[in-house]
Amino acid sequence: MNTKKKWWTRSRLEALDGYVFMTPAILGLLFFMLGPIGASAYFSFTEYDILSTPKWVGLDNYINLFQDSLFWQSLKVTMIYSVVSVPLGLTVSLALALLLNKNIRGIFVFRTIFYLPAVMSGVAVALLWKWIFNPDFGLINWAISLLGFEGPKWFIDEEWALPPIIIMSLWGVGGSMLVYLAGLQGIPTDLYEAAEIDGANKRKQFRNITLPMLSPVIFFNLITGIIGALQVFTEGFIMTQGGPNNATLFSVLYLYRNAFSYLQMGYASALAWVLFLIILAFTLIIFKSSPMWVFYEGNRRSGK
Amino acid sequence: MNTNAVTQTRNAPVRAGLSRSQSERLSTWFSYLLLVLGSIVILVPFAWMLSTSLKLKADVYIFPPQWIPKPMQWHNYVEAFTTFPFGLYTYNSIIIVVFVLIGTLFSCSFSAYGFSRLNAPGRNFIFMVLLATMMLPSAVTMVPIYLFFNKLGWVDTFLPLIIPAWFGSAFFIFMMRQFFMGIPYELEDSARIDGCSTYGIWARIMVPLSKPVLVTVAVFTFMGTWNDFMGPLIYLTDENKRTLALGLSYFQGSARSAPDLHLLMAASLYAIAPCVILYFLCQKIFVKGMVFTGVKG
């Protein structure tokens, strides 16, 4: 190696290469993440209809937002949906994962079937479920009629508009199920063997081994589940157009309407920021509470 | 769980009157029962979709429904295609998917190599920021990114749907970085001694070795882009530029076809078919791919 002091040392060259390699990610971060967040914050203090230049209006958008009954309605709908669908989805996907973790013949076929709905999403699935929940000719009300009852007026009665969307979300829990399954397979079997020798029954094993060992995965699924649920859009747009009487007016649907139907970009940005702060608050609460219930194996073995 | 070895040495009480092997067999049967019931719940909606798509228009609205249409109306699929330009929409979707795929695979593997192997001041900080953006709701960035593309005059072109894919995606970069970190350094060192540049190492060693993770990312990207609705809804206004997902939403809404559920289900089945086929082709890689991302801890 050259002993003379050169500016282009090996580590500097490596750093240069490093930045070149990271360029797409750094530019993406600036143009499609950090930049837009800043811009969104700015627009939320303006009145902007795209055609004219943005006009600074201070806190007006936020003040209007808090007096807007549709905003509160959309928040209520989104909250109810999230609070019901997320815990329900987490429980169902965990139960399915436990079932699929059994070492029995043909399990691979079942795993394939159970994950299938997760590869589809969006318009086609929403259309299918809208038809399934058709109050007069749909599959669900036919099944209910077989039991001798009359099915509810799905999507027509206000109180029966949100439940089908929640039920439909359960059909697609394959993603979090797979994450649970990966977590289950990472639990060392010697823990169960030791518990068995100590005479712990299945229920005790579940509560004292499976749940704690799985808690980082539950944590992950909870966070991604909440972020996803608070941003539901396609279902409301395709299945109900937010109706009846705004019973399925999800926040992002209301945001979309303000931005792209009414061209109120400033107002929509304020709405987006409120939604962002709500998601941030949820995430922070879960993060802060995590030492109480999330168990990291690294702590047990003093460092990874 | 295989605990046979332990079973013989253990003296724990056995549940009321059943021997251990009997209770195990019972639990296996119970598992099968639940698995079959679950499979029915998952598959019946597909059967319903298929059944509706093959019915005569009048037979759709019969209660109780008949599951097997007589006669099978295969013609419905042709009719759906002639009432609405689904061929064109499919072509549009494919164009977008292809460019998004190339962009995602290139930008994510390129960036991931930098994050996994090359020391540069601030690298870890940038990576942490990148990971943090995974929590950022896309609803927040939607309006400003639209305004940005509008300024560039790209609204009503495919560019707003394609270009962001060329600038990496946090989750996929994370996935690939994890994979790259598992590739032994020796390979790179010997290539370097042979005079290979860093870029050559990325192109000739890292990329070929990371085929499993590239396939996984490609499959996820395909599904995400194919099914994407909000992007095309916001950016594409010209009828002839619609993607399949967007076209499908208009098929439902258009006055002339609103009640034609048999055609709507035929078109929907057509729209999800590529995802289903791809899933069955790649399911092993799929499931394995998810496992090694190591979401644990």
Side-chain angles (χ1 to χ4, degrees), chain A residues 115 118-119 175 178, chain B residues 101 171-172 175 213-227 278 285-287 289-290 293:
Chain A
Y115 185 70
V119 304
L178 212 58
Chain B
L101 271 180
F171 181 64
F172 293 147
M175 248 171 108
V213 73
L214 290 176
V215 172
T216 309
V217 168
V219 172
F220 277 111
T221 305
F222 176 89
M223 308 266 184
T225 312
W226 188 265
N227 291 324
L278 190 66
I285 302 162
F286 228 103
V287 176
M290 268 315 264
T293 55

PDB file of all heavy atoms in Angstrom, chain A residues 115 118-119 175 178, chain B residues 101 171-172 175 213-227 278 285-287 289-290 293:
ATOM      1  N   TYR A 115     -53.535 -19.656   3.266  1.00  0.00           N
ATOM      2  CA  TYR A 115     -52.870 -18.402   2.921  1.00  0.00           C
ATOM      3  C   TYR A 115     -53.457 -17.788   1.647  1.00  0.00           C
ATOM      4  O   TYR A 115     -53.292 -16.595   1.398  1.00  0.00           O
ATOM      5  CB  TYR A 115     -51.356 -18.624   2.767  1.00  0.00           C
ATOM      6  CG  TYR A 115     -50.592 -17.344   2.538  1.00  0.00           C
ATOM      7  CD1 TYR A 115     -50.458 -16.414   3.569  1.00  0.00           C
ATOM      8  CD2 TYR A 115     -50.041 -17.037   1.302  1.00  0.00           C
ATOM      9  CE1 TYR A 115     -49.796 -15.231   3.371  1.00  0.00           C
ATOM     10  CE2 TYR A 115     -49.374 -15.844   1.095  1.00  0.00           C
ATOM     11  CZ  TYR A 115     -49.258 -14.947   2.131  1.00  0.00           C
ATOM     12  OH  TYR A 115     -48.599 -13.765   1.937  1.00  0.00           O
ATOM     13  N   ALA A 118     -54.917 -14.267   1.159  1.00  0.00           N
ATOM     14  CA  ALA A 118     -54.023 -13.139   1.414  1.00  0.00           C
ATOM     15  C   ALA A 118     -53.319 -12.652   0.150  1.00  0.00           C
ATOM     16  O   ALA A 118     -52.831 -11.535   0.120  1.00  0.00           O
ATOM     17  CB  ALA A 118     -52.986 -13.516   2.469  1.00  0.00           C
ATOM     18  N   VAL A 119     -53.247 -13.477  -0.887  1.00  0.00           N
ATOM     19  CA  VAL A 119     -52.575 -13.022  -2.097  1.00  0.00           C
ATOM     20  C   VAL A 119     -53.509 -12.188  -2.963  1.00  0.00           C
ATOM     21  O   VAL A 119     -53.090 -11.623  -3.954  1.00  0.00           O
ATOM     22  CB  VAL A 119     -51.988 -14.173  -2.943  1.00  0.00           C
ATOM     23  CG1 VAL A 119     -51.055 -15.013  -2.117  1.00  0.00           C
ATOM     24  CG2 VAL A 119     -53.063 -15.010  -3.582  1.00  0.00           C
ATOM     25  N   GLY A 175     -51.725 -13.286   5.955  1.00  0.00           N
ATOM     26  CA  GLY A 175     -50.414 -12.651   6.128  1.00  0.00           C
ATOM     27  C   GLY A 175     -49.922 -12.737   7.560  1.00  0.00           C
ATOM     28  O   GLY A 175     -48.826 -13.247   7.828  1.00  0.00           O
ATOM     29  N   LEU A 178     -49.152 -16.271   8.685  1.00  0.00           N
ATOM     30  CA  LEU A 178     -47.862 -16.791   8.241  1.00  0.00           C
ATOM     31  C   LEU A 178     -46.728 -16.282   9.128  1.00  0.00           C
ATOM     32  O   LEU A 178     -45.785 -17.009   9.440  1.00  0.00           O
ATOM     33  CB  LEU A 178     -47.632 -16.355   6.790  1.00  0.00           C
ATOM     34  CG  LEU A 178     -46.844 -17.311   5.925  1.00  0.00           C
ATOM     35  CD1 LEU A 178     -47.512 -18.655   5.861  1.00  0.00           C
ATOM     36  CD2 LEU A 178     -46.670 -16.732   4.536  1.00  0.00           C
TER      37      LEU A 178
ATOM     38  N   LEU B 101     -41.579  -3.907 -11.485  1.00  0.00           N
ATOM     39  CA  LEU B 101     -40.752  -5.047 -11.085  1.00  0.00           C
ATOM     40  C   LEU B 101     -39.277  -4.760 -11.316  1.00  0.00           C
ATOM     41  O   LEU B 101     -38.451  -4.951 -10.418  1.00  0.00           O
ATOM     42  CB  LEU B 101     -41.150  -6.292 -11.879  1.00  0.00           C
ATOM     43  CG  LEU B 101     -42.250  -7.162 -11.303  1.00  0.00           C
ATOM     44  CD1 LEU B 101     -42.516  -8.345 -12.213  1.00  0.00           C
ATOM     45  CD2 LEU B 101     -41.864  -7.649  -9.907  1.00  0.00           C
ATOM     46  N   PHE B 171     -39.316  -1.998   3.147  1.00  0.00           N
ATOM     47  CA  PHE B 171     -39.471  -3.380   3.589  1.00  0.00           C
ATOM     48  C   PHE B 171     -38.600  -4.328   2.755  1.00  0.00           C
ATOM     49  O   PHE B 171     -37.935  -5.215   3.280  1.00  0.00           O
ATOM     50  CB  PHE B 171     -40.944  -3.784   3.509  1.00  0.00           C
ATOM     51  CG  PHE B 171     -41.198  -5.189   3.981  1.00  0.00           C
ATOM     52  CD1 PHE B 171     -40.963  -5.535   5.298  1.00  0.00           C
ATOM     53  CD2 PHE B 171     -41.674  -6.156   3.111  1.00  0.00           C
ATOM     54  CE1 PHE B 171     -41.192  -6.824   5.740  1.00  0.00           C
ATOM     55  CE2 PHE B 171     -41.901  -7.454   3.545  1.00  0.00           C
ATOM     56  CZ  PHE B 171     -41.657  -7.780   4.860  1.00  0.00           C
ATOM     57  N   PHE B 172     -38.611  -4.121   1.448  1.00  0.00           N
ATOM     58  CA  PHE B 172     -37.838  -5.012   0.579  1.00  0.00           C
ATOM     59  C   PHE B 172     -36.339  -4.795   0.759  1.00  0.00           C
ATOM     60  O   PHE B 172     -35.552  -5.749   0.698  1.00  0.00           O
ATOM     61  CB  PHE B 172     -38.241  -4.806  -0.879  1.00  0.00           C
ATOM     62  CG  PHE B 172     -39.646  -5.255  -1.174  1.00  0.00           C
ATOM     63  CD1 PHE B 172     -40.412  -4.605  -2.122  1.00  0.00           C
ATOM     64  CD2 PHE B 172     -40.204  -6.326  -0.496  1.00  0.00           C
ATOM     65  CE1 PHE B 172     -41.712  -5.013  -2.400  1.00  0.00           C
ATOM     66  CE2 PHE B 172     -41.499  -6.741  -0.757  1.00  0.00           C
ATOM     67  CZ  PHE B 172     -42.251  -6.081  -1.715  1.00  0.00           C
ATOM     68  N   MET B 175     -35.462  -6.691   3.770  1.00  0.00           N
ATOM     69  CA  MET B 175     -35.431  -8.126   3.480  1.00  0.00           C
ATOM     70  C   MET B 175     -34.132  -8.522   2.782  1.00  0.00           C
ATOM     71  O   MET B 175     -33.482  -9.505   3.133  1.00  0.00           O
ATOM     72  CB  MET B 175     -36.589  -8.460   2.536  1.00  0.00           C
ATOM     73  CG  MET B 175     -37.668  -9.299   3.141  1.00  0.00           C
ATOM     74  SD  MET B 175     -39.037  -9.366   1.978  1.00  0.00           S
ATOM     75  CE  MET B 175     -38.872 -11.043   1.430  1.00  0.00           C
ATOM     76  N   VAL B 213     -34.444 -14.546  -2.573  1.00  0.00           N
ATOM     77  CA  VAL B 213     -35.054 -13.329  -2.021  1.00  0.00           C
ATOM     78  C   VAL B 213     -35.555 -12.426  -3.153  1.00  0.00           C
ATOM     79  O   VAL B 213     -36.590 -11.762  -3.026  1.00  0.00           O
ATOM     80  CB  VAL B 213     -34.082 -12.600  -1.052  1.00  0.00           C
ATOM     81  CG1 VAL B 213     -32.965 -11.906  -1.781  1.00  0.00           C
ATOM     82  CG2 VAL B 213     -34.836 -11.596  -0.199  1.00  0.00           C
ATOM     83  N   LEU B 214     -34.871 -12.444  -4.292  1.00  0.00           N
ATOM     84  CA  LEU B 214     -35.341 -11.646  -5.429  1.00  0.00           C
ATOM     85  C   LEU B 214     -36.689 -12.160  -5.927  1.00  0.00           C
ATOM     86  O   LEU B 214     -37.592 -11.378  -6.236  1.00  0.00           O
ATOM     87  CB  LEU B 214     -34.322 -11.677  -6.571  1.00  0.00           C
ATOM     88  CG  LEU B 214     -33.015 -10.924  -6.338  1.00  0.00           C
ATOM     89  CD1 LEU B 214     -32.064 -11.134  -7.505  1.00  0.00           C
ATOM     90  CD2 LEU B 214     -33.268  -9.445  -6.131  1.00  0.00           C
ATOM     91  N   VAL B 215     -36.818 -13.478  -5.981  1.00  0.00           N
ATOM     92  CA  VAL B 215     -38.098 -14.051  -6.418  1.00  0.00           C
ATOM     93  C   VAL B 215     -39.206 -13.672  -5.440  1.00  0.00           C
ATOM     94  O   VAL B 215     -40.305 -13.272  -5.838  1.00  0.00           O
ATOM     95  CB  VAL B 215     -37.992 -15.587  -6.558  1.00  0.00           C
ATOM     96  CG1 VAL B 215     -39.359 -16.191  -6.817  1.00  0.00           C
ATOM     97  CG2 VAL B 215     -37.041 -15.941  -7.683  1.00  0.00           C
ATOM     98  N   THR B 216     -38.892 -13.771  -4.146  1.00  0.00           N
ATOM     99  CA  THR B 216     -39.896 -13.418  -3.142  1.00  0.00           C
ATOM    100  C   THR B 216     -40.345 -11.973  -3.313  1.00  0.00           C
ATOM    101  O   THR B 216     -41.540 -11.676  -3.342  1.00  0.00           O
ATOM    102  CB  THR B 216     -39.316 -13.615  -1.730  1.00  0.00           C
ATOM    103  OG1 THR B 216     -38.761 -14.920  -1.660  1.00  0.00           O
ATOM    104  CG2 THR B 216     -40.381 -13.457  -0.682  1.00  0.00           C
ATOM    105  N   VAL B 217     -39.365 -11.075  -3.431  1.00  0.00           N
ATOM    106  CA  VAL B 217     -39.694  -9.659  -3.598  1.00  0.00           C
ATOM    107  C   VAL B 217     -40.504  -9.457  -4.881  1.00  0.00           C
ATOM    108  O   VAL B 217     -41.484  -8.717  -4.902  1.00  0.00           O
ATOM    109  CB  VAL B 217     -38.409  -8.803  -3.611  1.00  0.00           C
ATOM    110  CG1 VAL B 217     -38.709  -7.384  -4.076  1.00  0.00           C
ATOM    111  CG2 VAL B 217     -37.796  -8.777  -2.230  1.00  0.00           C
ATOM    112  N   ALA B 218     -40.101 -10.164  -5.941  1.00  0.00           N
ATOM    113  CA  ALA B 218     -40.807 -10.018  -7.218  1.00  0.00           C
ATOM    114  C   ALA B 218     -42.268 -10.452  -7.084  1.00  0.00           C
ATOM    115  O   ALA B 218     -43.169  -9.767  -7.568  1.00  0.00           O
ATOM    116  CB  ALA B 218     -40.105 -10.834  -8.302  1.00  0.00           C
ATOM    117  N   VAL B 219     -42.485 -11.566  -6.402  1.00  0.00           N
ATOM    118  CA  VAL B 219     -43.862 -12.060  -6.259  1.00  0.00           C
ATOM    119  C   VAL B 219     -44.707 -11.085  -5.446  1.00  0.00           C
ATOM    120  O   VAL B 219     -45.817 -10.719  -5.839  1.00  0.00           O
ATOM    121  CB  VAL B 219     -43.871 -13.469  -5.628  1.00  0.00           C
ATOM    122  CG1 VAL B 219     -45.290 -13.891  -5.302  1.00  0.00           C
ATOM    123  CG2 VAL B 219     -43.237 -14.474  -6.569  1.00  0.00           C
ATOM    124  N   PHE B 220     -44.156 -10.626  -4.316  1.00  0.00           N
ATOM    125  CA  PHE B 220     -44.897  -9.658  -3.495  1.00  0.00           C
ATOM    126  C   PHE B 220     -45.178  -8.377  -4.284  1.00  0.00           C
ATOM    127  O   PHE B 220     -46.268  -7.810  -4.208  1.00  0.00           O
ATOM    128  CB  PHE B 220     -44.111  -9.303  -2.229  1.00  0.00           C
ATOM    129  CG  PHE B 220     -44.296 -10.285  -1.120  1.00  0.00           C
ATOM    130  CD1 PHE B 220     -43.271 -11.112  -0.715  1.00  0.00           C
ATOM    131  CD2 PHE B 220     -45.517 -10.384  -0.474  1.00  0.00           C
ATOM    132  CE1 PHE B 220     -43.443 -12.030   0.297  1.00  0.00           C
ATOM    133  CE2 PHE B 220     -45.701 -11.292   0.550  1.00  0.00           C
ATOM    134  CZ  PHE B 220     -44.659 -12.117   0.939  1.00  0.00           C
ATOM    135  N   THR B 221     -44.177  -7.935  -5.033  1.00  0.00           N
ATOM    136  CA  THR B 221     -44.343  -6.704  -5.814  1.00  0.00           C
ATOM    137  C   THR B 221     -45.415  -6.891  -6.873  1.00  0.00           C
ATOM    138  O   THR B 221     -46.257  -6.020  -7.084  1.00  0.00           O
ATOM    139  CB  THR B 221     -43.009  -6.314  -6.481  1.00  0.00           C
ATOM    140  OG1 THR B 221     -42.014  -6.221  -5.468  1.00  0.00           O
ATOM    141  CG2 THR B 221     -43.122  -5.000  -7.202  1.00  0.00           C
ATOM    142  N   PHE B 222     -45.381  -8.048  -7.535  1.00  0.00           N
ATOM    143  CA  PHE B 222     -46.395  -8.315  -8.551  1.00  0.00           C
ATOM    144  C   PHE B 222     -47.797  -8.219  -7.957  1.00  0.00           C
ATOM    145  O   PHE B 222     -48.662  -7.511  -8.473  1.00  0.00           O
ATOM    146  CB  PHE B 222     -46.184  -9.699  -9.169  1.00  0.00           C
ATOM    147  CG  PHE B 222     -47.254 -10.061 -10.165  1.00  0.00           C
ATOM    148  CD1 PHE B 222     -47.108  -9.727 -11.495  1.00  0.00           C
ATOM    149  CD2 PHE B 222     -48.430 -10.682  -9.763  1.00  0.00           C
ATOM    150  CE1 PHE B 222     -48.110 -10.028 -12.414  1.00  0.00           C
ATOM    151  CE2 PHE B 222     -49.435 -10.985 -10.673  1.00  0.00           C
ATOM    152  CZ  PHE B 222     -49.263 -10.658 -11.998  1.00  0.00           C
ATOM    153  N   MET B 223     -47.992  -8.928  -6.835  1.00  0.00           N
ATOM    154  CA  MET B 223     -49.316  -8.951  -6.207  1.00  0.00           C
ATOM    155  C   MET B 223     -49.746  -7.538  -5.818  1.00  0.00           C
ATOM    156  O   MET B 223     -50.872  -7.126  -6.073  1.00  0.00           O
ATOM    157  CB  MET B 223     -49.301  -9.822  -4.950  1.00  0.00           C
ATOM    158  CG  MET B 223     -48.743 -11.203  -5.167  1.00  0.00           C
ATOM    159  SD  MET B 223     -50.021 -12.389  -5.529  1.00  0.00           S
ATOM    160  CE  MET B 223     -49.106 -13.900  -5.612  1.00  0.00           C
ATOM    161  N   GLY B 224     -48.825  -6.821  -5.187  1.00  0.00           N
ATOM    162  CA  GLY B 224     -49.159  -5.477  -4.712  1.00  0.00           C
ATOM    163  C   GLY B 224     -49.523  -4.548  -5.857  1.00  0.00           C
ATOM    164  O   GLY B 224     -50.498  -3.800  -5.779  1.00  0.00           O
ATOM    165  N   THR B 225     -48.743  -4.601  -6.939  1.00  0.00           N
ATOM    166  CA  THR B 225     -48.977  -3.686  -8.059  1.00  0.00           C
ATOM    167  C   THR B 225     -50.219  -4.095  -8.836  1.00  0.00           C
ATOM    168  O   THR B 225     -51.020  -3.261  -9.240  1.00  0.00           O
ATOM    169  CB  THR B 225     -47.752  -3.685  -8.994  1.00  0.00           C
ATOM    170  OG1 THR B 225     -46.581  -3.539  -8.196  1.00  0.00           O
ATOM    171  CG2 THR B 225     -47.828  -2.568 -10.004  1.00  0.00           C
ATOM    172  N   TRP B 226     -50.385  -5.388  -9.045  1.00  0.00           N
ATOM    173  CA  TRP B 226     -51.537  -5.895  -9.795  1.00  0.00           C
ATOM    174  C   TRP B 226     -52.842  -5.517  -9.097  1.00  0.00           C
ATOM    175  O   TRP B 226     -53.819  -5.137  -9.726  1.00  0.00           O
ATOM    176  CB  TRP B 226     -51.417  -7.415  -9.930  1.00  0.00           C
ATOM    177  CG  TRP B 226     -52.428  -8.035 -10.845  1.00  0.00           C
ATOM    178  CD1 TRP B 226     -53.623  -8.591 -10.475  1.00  0.00           C
ATOM    179  CD2 TRP B 226     -52.351  -8.149 -12.262  1.00  0.00           C
ATOM    180  NE1 TRP B 226     -54.286  -9.053 -11.579  1.00  0.00           N
ATOM    181  CE2 TRP B 226     -53.521  -8.792 -12.701  1.00  0.00           C
ATOM    182  CE3 TRP B 226     -51.387  -7.766 -13.210  1.00  0.00           C
ATOM    183  CZ2 TRP B 226     -53.774  -9.077 -14.036  1.00  0.00           C
ATOM    184  CZ3 TRP B 226     -51.641  -8.050 -14.541  1.00  0.00           C
ATOM    185  CH2 TRP B 226     -52.819  -8.693 -14.950  1.00  0.00           C
ATOM    186  N   ASN B 227     -52.839  -5.633  -7.771  1.00  0.00           N
ATOM    187  CA  ASN B 227     -54.059  -5.379  -7.008  1.00  0.00           C
ATOM    188  C   ASN B 227     -54.242  -3.919  -6.635  1.00  0.00           C
ATOM    189  O   ASN B 227     -55.287  -3.545  -6.111  1.00  0.00           O
ATOM    190  CB  ASN B 227     -54.061  -6.214  -5.724  1.00  0.00           C
ATOM    191  CG  ASN B 227     -54.217  -7.690  -6.002  1.00  0.00           C
ATOM    192  OD1 ASN B 227     -54.932  -8.078  -6.909  1.00  0.00           O
ATOM    193  ND2 ASN B 227     -53.533  -8.511  -5.222  1.00  0.00           N
ATOM    194  N   LEU B 278     -49.883 -17.551  -9.907  1.00  0.00           N
ATOM    195  CA  LEU B 278     -48.527 -17.239  -9.434  1.00  0.00           C
ATOM    196  C   LEU B 278     -48.296 -17.809  -8.031  1.00  0.00           C
ATOM    197  O   LEU B 278     -47.235 -18.353  -7.735  1.00  0.00           O
ATOM    198  CB  LEU B 278     -48.337 -15.720  -9.428  1.00  0.00           C
ATOM    199  CG  LEU B 278     -46.926 -15.231  -9.184  1.00  0.00           C
ATOM    200  CD1 LEU B 278     -46.023 -15.639 -10.328  1.00  0.00           C
ATOM    201  CD2 LEU B 278     -46.897 -13.722  -9.012  1.00  0.00           C
ATOM    202  N   ILE B 285     -41.461 -20.966  -2.254  1.00  0.00           N
ATOM    203  CA  ILE B 285     -40.569 -19.821  -2.085  1.00  0.00           C
ATOM    204  C   ILE B 285     -41.253 -18.781  -1.215  1.00  0.00           C
ATOM    205  O   ILE B 285     -40.657 -18.182  -0.327  1.00  0.00           O
ATOM    206  CB  ILE B 285     -40.251 -19.210  -3.466  1.00  0.00           C
ATOM    207  CG1 ILE B 285     -39.612 -20.259  -4.356  1.00  0.00           C
ATOM    208  CG2 ILE B 285     -39.372 -18.000  -3.323  1.00  0.00           C
ATOM    209  CD1 ILE B 285     -39.657 -19.919  -5.819  1.00  0.00           C
ATOM    210  N   PHE B 286     -42.527 -18.607  -1.502  1.00  0.00           N
ATOM    211  CA  PHE B 286     -43.361 -17.673  -0.763  1.00  0.00           C
ATOM    212  C   PHE B 286     -43.262 -17.875   0.739  1.00  0.00           C
ATOM    213  O   PHE B 286     -42.851 -17.001   1.484  1.00  0.00           O
ATOM    214  CB  PHE B 286     -44.807 -17.951  -1.165  1.00  0.00           C
ATOM    215  CG  PHE B 286     -45.568 -16.733  -1.506  1.00  0.00           C
ATOM    216  CD1 PHE B 286     -45.807 -16.415  -2.821  1.00  0.00           C
ATOM    217  CD2 PHE B 286     -46.035 -15.909  -0.513  1.00  0.00           C
ATOM    218  CE1 PHE B 286     -46.525 -15.293  -3.148  1.00  0.00           C
ATOM    219  CE2 PHE B 286     -46.749 -14.789  -0.829  1.00  0.00           C
ATOM    220  CZ  PHE B 286     -46.993 -14.480  -2.158  1.00  0.00           C
ATOM    221  N   VAL B 287     -43.648 -19.072   1.148  1.00  0.00           N
ATOM    222  CA  VAL B 287     -43.711 -19.346   2.575  1.00  0.00           C
ATOM    223  C   VAL B 287     -42.311 -19.286   3.192  1.00  0.00           C
ATOM    224  O   VAL B 287     -42.107 -18.667   4.227  1.00  0.00           O
ATOM    225  CB  VAL B 287     -44.373 -20.715   2.823  1.00  0.00           C
ATOM    226  CG1 VAL B 287     -44.356 -21.052   4.289  1.00  0.00           C
ATOM    227  CG2 VAL B 287     -45.791 -20.694   2.303  1.00  0.00           C
ATOM    228  N   GLY B 289     -39.783 -17.631   2.048  1.00  0.00           N
ATOM    229  CA  GLY B 289     -39.331 -16.246   1.984  1.00  0.00           C
ATOM    230  C   GLY B 289     -39.783 -15.441   3.177  1.00  0.00           C
ATOM    231  O   GLY B 289     -39.014 -14.670   3.740  1.00  0.00           O
ATOM    232  N   MET B 290     -41.033 -15.650   3.572  1.00  0.00           N
ATOM    233  CA  MET B 290     -41.548 -14.936   4.728  1.00  0.00           C
ATOM    234  C   MET B 290     -40.800 -15.341   5.982  1.00  0.00           C
ATOM    235  O   MET B 290     -40.540 -14.536   6.850  1.00  0.00           O
ATOM    236  CB  MET B 290     -43.034 -15.262   4.905  1.00  0.00           C
ATOM    237  CG  MET B 290     -43.976 -14.327   4.215  1.00  0.00           C
ATOM    238  SD  MET B 290     -43.564 -12.604   4.425  1.00  0.00           S
ATOM    239  CE  MET B 290     -44.640 -12.191   5.790  1.00  0.00           C
ATOM    240  N   THR B 293     -37.247 -13.683   6.692  1.00  0.00           N
ATOM    241  CA  THR B 293     -37.109 -12.252   6.930  1.00  0.00           C
ATOM    242  C   THR B 293     -36.861 -11.979   8.406  1.00  0.00           C
ATOM    243  O   THR B 293     -36.422 -10.904   8.778  1.00  0.00           O
ATOM    244  CB  THR B 293     -38.366 -11.473   6.525  1.00  0.00           C
ATOM    245  OG1 THR B 293     -39.472 -12.041   7.218  1.00  0.00           O
ATOM    246  CG2 THR B 293     -38.597 -11.550   5.044  1.00  0.00           C
TER     247      THR B 293
END
